[in-house]
Amino acid sequence: MYLVTSEQMRSFDHDTIETYQVPAIVLMDHAGRAVADAVLSHLPKAAVVVCGKGNNGADGWLCARWLKRAGIAVSVVTLVDPATLQADARLAHSIADAAGVRWQLYEPGVVRETVALAQATGKVAIVDAILGTGVSRPLTGEFALVVDEINQVQAAVVAIDVPTGVNASTGEVHGRAVQATTTVAMAAEKLGTAVTPGALYAGQVRVADIGIEMRLDDAIAMYTHPALFRGQYGDRDELTHKGSFGRVGIAVGTMIGAARLAALAAAKAGVGMVVVGGEGAKGGEWAPDIVVRSQTDVPAAFADCQAVVIGPGLGDRAHRAQAWLRQLADCGVRRGAIDADALAFVAQDGRFTPVAGEYVLTPHPKEAARMLGWDVSAVQARRIEAAREIAMRSGAVALLKGYRTIIATPDGRLRVNPTGDASLAVAGTGDVLAGVVGSLLAQGLDAFAAASLGAWLHGRAGELAGQALTRVSATASDVVHELPNALKAYLQSLR
Ligand SMILES: NC(=O)C1=CN([C@@H]2O[C@H](COP(=O)(O)OP(=O)(O)OC[C@H]3O[C@@H](n4cnc5c(N)ncnc54)[C@H](OP(=O)(O)O)[C@@H]3O)[C@@H](O)[C@H]2O)[C@@H](O)CC1
Ligand SMILES: [K+]
């Protein structure tokens, strides 16, 4: 569940080698063995291991030896002349060479030909040992050619640590990347394969314990998991009453449907009371569980709430968001979810107005781009940086929506949400998320917890709606209906 950057990994490798006195070649041999096991699980008759010049390549040479011992017809294609290899990569090559592993120097077409020849005997697997955490620039020349060749042949591809071309820290793709079937990550999954676009290249990620000692602290990113919220959410005993679970205020503007979704979602996520107020509140049709306040003035309607949701369906009333936040703070209301059009009043074109208190901003990539003054394509290529920048500059928790939603805090902590699928790619699901996050904030969770648990529940509800109704037919209302089942899944994983 931990997600590490290249820099963190380098420091852990260094500690293990220097302080714990485990020689690097021992770690790499464990890595080679773990990758060989992953290759064998594809039941190939032959394997082609493609090695680069660094330690990722060293893992590849050692893996080739283990595959040979397992009776697989293995050959290495190397991008550099082994005579020029340095340090541990040189030793790894010698070990493989002494064991009789066959190898040849890369030339364009060689991977394709070697795989085609091997396919005569049965299933073939390719091992990507070209670049790991050391990738530092776009792939060009033979590195680009070999990646294209690997991606064109029909074979299972097992990537060592990260697929070549994926930046292990950021998930950016350096021009092109190996499309892996399986990625075997050493010691911990790299942040770059947890978030998009990197995640789309990694296939199934397995983590191998190769004996690296890791220092785990707040600086380490992780996947959101229910166990993180044990004791904070989900337990209710006989002595609790509606006042124990807070009141959330949902601001209603001109588009009432969005506010209705947010209000229902907030109720299903367990808040003690959902209050709607603002201009559109009185005219709307609300479920009987929703309390409608007659005040059209948002701060006055929500003065006794613990949290607010500002954004869903506000439309052209969103320009008042900033004044509302100030007035709410004066009444002691300093937590909430800010979404949709209201986000523009926190930031636009890179100009930020910081938000004080426990607030969660929930932009989708287009809204994030508008806030930062970036292109949407830049936000999608560098999602971690985008989320971090919004959090740091706004002083609020940023939740950047999309597959593998990223949650960042102003002080640099990071979570990646593992739940959710294409069922959520429909209008209104963002309003549902804002309602859930507001509900959790009103129940007392801090902004980081509310954002990460909110994304988790919302994502799981989306998956469940897709399973019940197909990803094509599932709507935002269906996601609301599945929230109780998402909550059951949450409670079950705490057992
Ligand atoms: N350290 C340890 O003890 C352990 C390490 N382990 C393993 O080692 C991996 C990290 O190894 P690493 O640091 O040697 O980096 P790696 O990814 O092999 O790159 C090598 C060199 O490639 C180059 N290069 C960069 N970009 C390029 C490009 N676009 N196109 C062409 N070349 C490019 C660049 O050198 P440059 O050309 O810039 O001089 C870079 O230094 C890690 O992922 C894991 O698998 C684990 O098994 C556990 C123990
Ligand atoms: K690799």
Side-chain angles (χ1 to χ4, degrees), residues 10 13-14 17 24 27-28 31 52-57 59 88 129-140 143 160-162 174 186 190 210 212:
R10 257 195 292 281
D13 283 350
H14 182 266
I17 295 162
L27 300 174
M28 288 170 200
K53 76 170 193 186
N55 289 339
N56 199 253
D59 293 349
D88 293 309
I130 307 168
L131 293 168
T133 52
V135 69
S136 57
R137 54 184 182 274
L139 306 187
T140 55
F143 283 82
I160 302 187
D161 217 15
V162 288
H174 291 278
M186 304 311 155
K190 307 301 164 300
I210 62 164
I212 290 180

Coordinates of all heavy atoms in Angstrom, one line a residue, residues 10 13-14 17 24 27-28 31 52-57 59 88 129-140 143 160-162 174 186 190 210 212, ligand 1:
R10 N 16.1 5.3 -3.7 CA 17.6 5.3 -3.7 C 18.2 5.4 -2.3 O 19.1 4.8 -2.0 CB 18.1 6.6 -4.5 CG 18.6 6.2 -5.9 CD 19.4 7.3 -6.6 NE 18.5 8.5 -6.9 CZ 17.7 8.5 -8.0 NH1 17.7 7.5 -8.8 NH2 17.0 9.6 -8.2
D13 N 17.8 2.0 -0.6 CA 18.8 1.1 -1.2 C 20.1 1.4 -0.5 O 20.8 0.5 0.0 CB 19.1 1.4 -2.7 CG 18.0 0.8 -3.6 OD1 17.1 0.0 -3.1 OD2 18.0 1.1 -4.8
H14 N 20.4 2.7 -0.4 CA 21.7 3.1 0.2 C 21.8 2.7 1.6 O 22.8 2.1 2.1 CB 21.8 4.7 0.0 CG 23.1 5.2 0.5 ND1 23.2 5.7 1.8 CD2 24.3 5.3 0.0 CE1 24.5 6.1 2.0 NE2 25.2 5.9 0.9
I17 N 22.3 -1.0 2.0 CA 23.7 -1.5 1.6 C 24.7 -1.0 2.6 O 25.6 -1.8 3.1 CB 24.0 -1.0 0.2 CG1 23.1 -1.6 -0.9 CG2 25.5 -1.2 -0.2 CD1 23.0 -0.9 -2.2
A24 N 24.7 -4.9 -2.6 CA 23.7 -4.6 -3.6 C 23.4 -5.9 -4.5 O 22.3 -6.1 -4.9 CB 24.2 -3.5 -4.5
L27 N 20.7 -8.0 -3.1 CA 19.3 -7.4 -3.4 C 18.9 -7.7 -4.8 O 17.8 -8.1 -5.1 CB 19.4 -5.9 -3.1 CG 19.7 -5.4 -1.7 CD1 19.9 -3.9 -1.6 CD2 18.7 -5.9 -0.7
M28 N 19.8 -7.5 -5.7 CA 19.5 -7.6 -7.1 C 19.2 -9.1 -7.5 O 18.4 -9.4 -8.3 CB 20.7 -7.1 -8.0 CG 20.7 -5.6 -7.9 SD 22.2 -5.0 -8.7 CE 22.2 -3.4 -8.0
A31 N 15.9 -9.7 -6.5 CA 15.0 -9.1 -7.5 C 14.9 -10.0 -8.7 O 13.8 -10.2 -9.2 CB 15.5 -7.7 -7.9
G52 N 19.2 -3.0 -20.1 CA 19.8 -1.7 -20.3 C 21.2 -1.7 -19.6 O 21.7 -2.8 -19.2
K53 N 21.7 -0.5 -19.3 CA 23.1 -0.5 -18.8 C 23.2 -0.4 -17.3 O 24.3 -0.6 -16.7 CB 23.8 0.7 -19.5 CG 23.5 2.0 -18.9 CD 24.4 3.1 -19.5 CE 24.3 4.4 -18.8 NZ 25.1 5.4 -19.4
G54 N 22.1 0.0 -16.6 CA 22.2 0.2 -15.2 C 21.7 -1.0 -14.3 O 21.8 -2.1 -14.8
N55 N 21.3 -0.7 -13.1 CA 20.9 -1.8 -12.2 C 19.6 -2.5 -12.6 O 19.4 -3.6 -12.2 CB 20.9 -1.2 -10.8 CG 22.3 -0.9 -10.3 OD1 23.3 -1.5 -10.8 ND2 22.4 -0.1 -9.3
N56 N 18.7 -1.8 -13.3 CA 17.6 -2.4 -13.8 C 18.0 -3.6 -14.7 O 17.5 -4.7 -14.6 CB 16.7 -1.4 -14.5 CG 15.2 -1.9 -14.7 OD1 14.8 -2.3 -15.7 ND2 14.5 -1.9 -13.6
G57 N 19.0 -3.3 -15.5 CA 19.6 -4.3 -16.4 C 20.2 -5.4 -15.6 O 20.1 -6.6 -15.9
D59 N 19.3 -6.5 -12.7 CA 18.2 -7.4 -12.2 C 17.8 -8.3 -13.4 O 17.5 -9.5 -13.2 CB 16.9 -6.6 -11.9 CG 17.1 -5.7 -10.7 OD1 18.1 -5.8 -9.9 OD2 16.2 -4.8 -10.4
D88 N 27.9 -3.2 -10.4 CA 27.0 -4.4 -10.2 C 26.5 -4.9 -11.4 O 26.2 -6.1 -11.6 CB 25.9 -4.0 -9.2 CG 26.5 -3.7 -7.8 OD1 27.2 -4.6 -7.3 OD2 26.2 -2.7 -7.2
A129 N 14.0 -5.1 -18.8 CA 15.0 -4.7 -17.8 C 15.8 -3.6 -18.4 O 17.0 -3.6 -18.3 CB 15.9 -5.9 -17.5
I130 N 15.1 -2.7 -19.1 CA 15.9 -1.7 -19.9 C 16.2 -0.5 -18.9 O 17.3 -0.1 -18.7 CB 15.1 -1.2 -21.1 CG1 14.7 -2.4 -22.0 CG2 15.9 -0.2 -21.9 CD1 13.7 -2.1 -23.1
L131 N 15.1 0.1 -18.4 CA 15.3 1.3 -17.5 C 14.3 1.1 -16.3 O 13.2 0.7 -16.5 CB 15.0 2.6 -18.2 CG 16.0 3.0 -19.3 CD1 15.4 4.2 -20.1 CD2 17.3 3.4 -18.7
G132 N 14.8 1.5 -15.1 CA 13.9 1.4 -14.0 C 13.8 2.8 -13.4 O 13.4 3.8 -14.1
T133 N 14.1 3.0 -12.1 CA 14.0 4.3 -11.5 C 15.0 5.3 -12.0 O 14.9 6.5 -11.7 CB 14.2 4.1 -10.0 OG1 15.5 3.4 -9.8 CG2 13.1 3.4 -9.3
G134 N 16.0 4.8 -12.9 CA 17.0 5.8 -13.4 C 16.6 6.5 -14.6 O 17.4 7.4 -15.1
V135 N 15.4 6.3 -15.1 CA 15.0 7.0 -16.4 C 15.0 8.5 -16.1 O 14.5 9.0 -15.1 CB 13.7 6.6 -16.9 CG1 12.5 7.0 -16.1 CG2 13.5 7.1 -18.4
S136 N 15.6 9.3 -17.0 CA 15.8 10.7 -16.7 C 15.5 11.6 -17.9 O 15.5 12.8 -17.8 CB 17.2 11.0 -16.2 OG 18.1 10.6 -17.2
R137 N 15.2 11.0 -19.0 CA 14.9 11.9 -20.2 C 14.1 11.1 -21.2 O 14.0 9.8 -21.1 CB 16.3 12.3 -20.8 CG 17.2 11.2 -21.1 CD 18.6 11.6 -21.6 NE 19.4 10.5 -22.0 CZ 20.2 9.9 -21.1 NH1 20.2 10.2 -19.8 NH2 21.0 8.9 -21.5
P138 N 13.6 11.7 -22.2 CA 12.8 11.0 -23.2 C 13.6 9.9 -23.9 O 14.8 10.1 -24.1 CB 12.4 12.1 -24.2 CG 12.5 13.4 -23.4 CD 13.6 13.2 -22.5
L139 N 12.9 8.9 -24.3 CA 13.6 7.8 -24.9 C 13.8 8.2 -26.4 O 12.9 8.6 -27.1 CB 12.7 6.5 -24.9 CG 12.2 6.0 -23.5 CD1 11.6 4.7 -23.7 CD2 13.4 5.9 -22.6
T140 N 15.0 8.0 -26.9 CA 15.4 8.3 -28.3 C 16.2 7.1 -28.8 O 16.5 6.2 -28.1 CB 16.2 9.6 -28.4 OG1 17.3 9.4 -27.6 CG2 15.4 10.8 -27.9
F143 N 16.7 3.1 -27.8 CA 15.8 2.9 -26.6 C 14.4 3.1 -27.1 O 13.5 2.3 -26.6 CB 16.1 3.9 -25.5 CG 17.4 3.5 -24.7 CD1 18.6 3.8 -25.2 CD2 17.2 2.8 -23.5 CE1 19.8 3.4 -24.5 CE2 18.4 2.4 -22.8 CZ 19.6 2.7 -23.3
I160 N 10.5 -5.0 -15.0 CA 11.2 -4.9 -13.7 C 11.1 -3.5 -13.1 O 11.5 -2.6 -13.7 CB 12.6 -5.3 -13.9 CG1 12.8 -6.7 -14.5 CG2 13.4 -5.3 -12.5 CD1 14.2 -7.3 -14.6
D161 N 10.4 -3.5 -12.0 CA 10.3 -2.3 -11.1 C 9.3 -1.2 -11.7 O 8.3 -0.9 -11.1 CB 11.7 -1.6 -10.9 CG 11.8 -1.0 -9.5 OD1 10.9 -1.4 -8.6 OD2 12.7 -0.2 -9.2
V162 N 9.6 -0.7 -12.9 CA 8.6 0.1 -13.6 C 8.7 -0.2 -15.1 O 9.8 -0.6 -15.6 CB 8.9 1.6 -13.4 CG1 8.5 2.1 -12.1 CG2 10.3 2.0 -13.8
H174 N 8.0 9.2 -20.7 CA 9.0 9.9 -21.4 C 8.9 9.6 -22.9 O 9.7 8.9 -23.4 CB 10.4 9.6 -20.8 CG 10.6 10.1 -19.4 ND1 11.0 11.4 -19.2 CD2 10.5 9.5 -18.2 CE1 11.1 11.5 -17.9 NE2 10.8 10.4 -17.3
M186 N 10.1 -3.5 -6.8 CA 11.0 -4.0 -5.8 C 10.8 -3.2 -4.5 O 10.8 -1.9 -4.5 CB 12.5 -3.7 -6.2 CG 12.9 -4.4 -7.5 SD 12.3 -6.2 -7.4 CE 12.2 -6.5 -9.2
K190 N 6.1 1.8 -7.0 CA 6.6 3.2 -7.3 C 5.3 4.1 -7.5 O 4.4 3.6 -8.2 CB 7.5 3.2 -8.5 CG 8.7 2.3 -8.4 CD 9.6 2.5 -7.1 CE 10.5 1.4 -6.8 NZ 9.9 0.1 -6.5
I210 N 12.6 -7.8 -1.5 CA 14.0 -8.3 -1.9 C 15.0 -7.9 -0.7 O 16.2 -8.0 -1.0 CB 14.4 -7.6 -3.2 CG1 14.5 -6.1 -3.2 CG2 13.5 -8.1 -4.3 CD1 15.2 -5.5 -4.3
I212 N 15.0 -5.0 1.2 CA 15.4 -3.6 1.4 C 14.7 -3.1 2.7 O 13.5 -3.3 2.9 CB 14.9 -2.8 0.2 CG1 15.9 -3.1 -1.0 CG2 15.0 -1.3 0.4 CD1 15.6 -2.4 -2.3
Ligands
LIG1 N1 20.5 0.4 -6.3 C1 20.3 -0.8 -5.8 O1 21.0 -1.3 -5.0 C2 19.2 -1.6 -6.4 C3 18.6 -1.3 -7.6 N2 17.6 -2.0 -8.1 C4 17.2 -1.9 -9.5 O2 17.9 -0.9 -10.1 C5 17.1 0.1 -10.7 C6 17.7 1.4 -10.7 O3 19.0 1.3 -11.3 P1 19.8 2.6 -11.8 O4 19.8 3.6 -10.8 O5 21.1 2.1 -12.2 O6 18.9 3.1 -13.0 P2 18.3 2.4 -14.3 O7 16.9 2.6 -14.4 O8 18.9 1.0 -14.5 O9 18.9 3.4 -15.5 C7 20.3 3.3 -15.8 C8 20.8 4.4 -16.6 O10 20.1 4.6 -17.8 C9 20.4 5.9 -18.3 N3 19.2 6.6 -18.8 C10 18.3 7.3 -18.2 N4 17.3 7.7 -19.0 C11 17.7 7.2 -20.2 C12 17.0 7.2 -21.5 N5 15.9 7.9 -21.7 N6 17.6 6.6 -22.5 C13 18.8 6.0 -22.3 N7 19.4 5.9 -21.1 C14 18.9 6.5 -20.1 C15 21.0 6.7 -17.2 O11 22.4 6.8 -17.3 P3 23.0 8.0 -18.2 O12 22.9 7.5 -19.7 O13 22.3 9.2 -18.0 O14 24.5 8.0 -17.8 C16 20.7 5.8 -16.0 O15 21.6 5.9 -14.9 C17 15.8 -0.1 -10.0 O16 14.7 0.3 -10.8 C18 15.8 -1.6 -9.7 O17 15.3 -2.3 -10.9 C19 16.9 -3.0 -7.3 O18 17.0 -4.3 -7.8 C20 17.4 -3.1 -5.8 C21 18.8 -2.8 -5.6

